[in-house]
Amino acid sequence: MHKHAGKQRYTLSLLTLATLGAGAPAFAADTGGFVEDAKVNLNLRNFYMNRNFVDNGRSIAQPGPTKRGQAAEWAQAFILDAKSGYTTGTVGFGVDVLGLFALKLDGGRGTYGTQLLPTHDGNHPADDFGRMAVAGKAKISKTELKVGEWMPVLPIVRADDGRALPQTLKGGQITSKDIPNITLYAGQFTSNSQRNDGSMERLSLSNAGATVRGSPTISGDHYNFVGAEYTFNDKRTMVGAWYGQLEDIYHQKYFQLLHSQPITDNITAGANLGYFIGDTDGSGLAGDQDNRTMSGLFSLKVGFNTFYVGLQKVMGEANWQRIAGTSGGTLANDSYGWSYELKDEKSWQVRHDYNFAGLGVPGLTLMNRFIEGSNVHNSGVTDGKDRGRETEVAYVFQSGTFKAMSLRWRNSSLRRDYGNTNSFDENRLIIQYPFSIL
């Protein structure tokens, strides 16, 4: 991708949105909710990341993709999110637009590889990149059809938003809430633009998910999915069932139970249970994809403290499956640096969150967690082990000029006894300032 191509797309998106905003008063009376219900938000995201690879066991002398022992980059992102309302009538029509642009502030002087920025011409971080995602939508009653490009967040397809710009996918989706307490989903994705890319590419199997001929170039033409969620028990309990198929690579079923149980006025217990059943699809381009993955995240909120225990186990002949670039956030032990999703891996987590509103400082929060995995079978490893420690300190301004502005420091370490880039220490500094334009 040409390093300035993203800027052209982003400029076009800004012009499109400016035209919509400038013309709003002229057609507001004729379009009803299309303009009245429109929302335009701009998020300024400043992101610095430094991953320092540690020589440990099988690592080379200078581990990491740059052979300089670290990956470090700094970028400023602009995320313009514009959502129209719907036109009046039996069928309402609307449009959603994402204008995405990221500017390099520091490319790390050769220490590329954080995935904040794409690389080109011998792994030089791009000066800037971006894209414009447009999706048309139509709505009848409580059923919506969306076609185009956007950032889906579904249990089996979670677009990743863990860097400067989010991942987006192109396709179509129907979501219906016409039946009380039930939400139905169906759709198809055909391509995606990952978090450090301005172009649109085919859907492929995650590196971690391909155990036979594993490569991000193992791709399918379509990802088809259906899902249903039922909420009951005064909205404290939700059960869900999903099916996804990356054609000729894998298909996957997912069953979920979410429950929140108040114990006293000050204590609430929670559980997020999930079970995946995966298998080879069609011609099996990635080999045997037989997989069973169990995931359970249990919580206990006591006042301003929340305690978590995560349990996760992968079984079968393959790793847990997902589309390359998407988030592993559906898994209990997914973390900033690793998802503990490899073949036969079993892992556990302990975590503690504290809200300093309990000490008179609203907006300040602290998270600490430790995750350990074992019994990894992957790429010649027969009993691999990995462990991670992560801390996040965050503050969100509660009032004044910078209300809603957030400051986050994420400090973590990961240790693995397999692979060439098996261990690292990491810092991420993230400043976000979201504000409403319309």
Side-chain angles (χ1 to χ4, degrees), residues 44 66 75 98 129 143 180 206 239 260 297 313 317 375 405 419 430:
L44 307 181
T66 65
L98 271 175
F129 79 109
T143 297
S206 170
V239 292
S260 178
L297 185 62
K313 186 173 182 180
E317 299 303 318
N375 199 44
M405 180 178 179
I430 308 165

Side-chain angles (χ1 to χ4, degrees), residues 194 202-206 215-220 246 249 322-324:
Q194 297 194 23
R202 284 164 58 93
L203 300 173
S204 59
L205 185 66
S206 170
S215 166
T217 60
I218 299 177
S219 57
L246 184 56
I249 298 178
R322 58 170 149 162
I323 294 173

